[in-house]
Amino acid sequence: MSDLPYGPPVRVSPLIRFGRWSFLTAGILYGAFHQNRLSKKEAKIREIEAKEKVIRDAKLKEEKAIAAAAEMKALEEMISTKK
């Protein structure tokens, strides 16, 4: 025990020990409560985003088809003017 730089360990008060454990427990409960609340909120947001994704994907598919048709038309015009 004489190897310790600050002397022998000091006995911690039961009140301080109780306070530490209480705050630790309160912090864990606080975190669990808010994690549950935020998980529900995020699930609702994901649901909405999934519905919007279907609409967005359909719109992108339509835009790509229009762009591809325009590109094909431009290529056909280039080929027909060269002949």
Side-chain angles (χ1 to χ4, degrees), residues 9-79:
V10 179
R11 188 170 181 273
V12 178
S13 165
L15 180 63
I16 293 172
R17 193 178 295 167
F18 174 76
R20 287 178 180 172
W21 283 102
S22 297
F23 282 119
L24 176 65
T25 305
I28 290 171
L29 292 175
Y30 174 83
F33 172 75
H34 284 283
Q35 174 68 25
N36 187 24
R37 184 177 62 89
L38 293 173
S39 294
K40 289 179 184 177
K41 191 175 183 181
E42 187 64 27
K44 290 178 185 177
I45 291 171
R46 285 187 186 148
E47 241 178 67
I48 293 168
E49 287 178 348
K51 290 177 184 176
E52 291 174 352
K53 184 180 185 307
V54 173
I55 295 167
R56 187 174 56 244
D57 288 347
K59 187 176 179 181
L60 284 173
K61 185 177 179 182
E62 182 180 322
E63 288 175 359
K64 283 183 181 180
I66 292 171
E71 186 178 355
M72 290 299 290
K73 185 177 179 182
L75 289 173
E76 287 175 1
E77 288 176 6
M78 285 175 53
I79 292 173

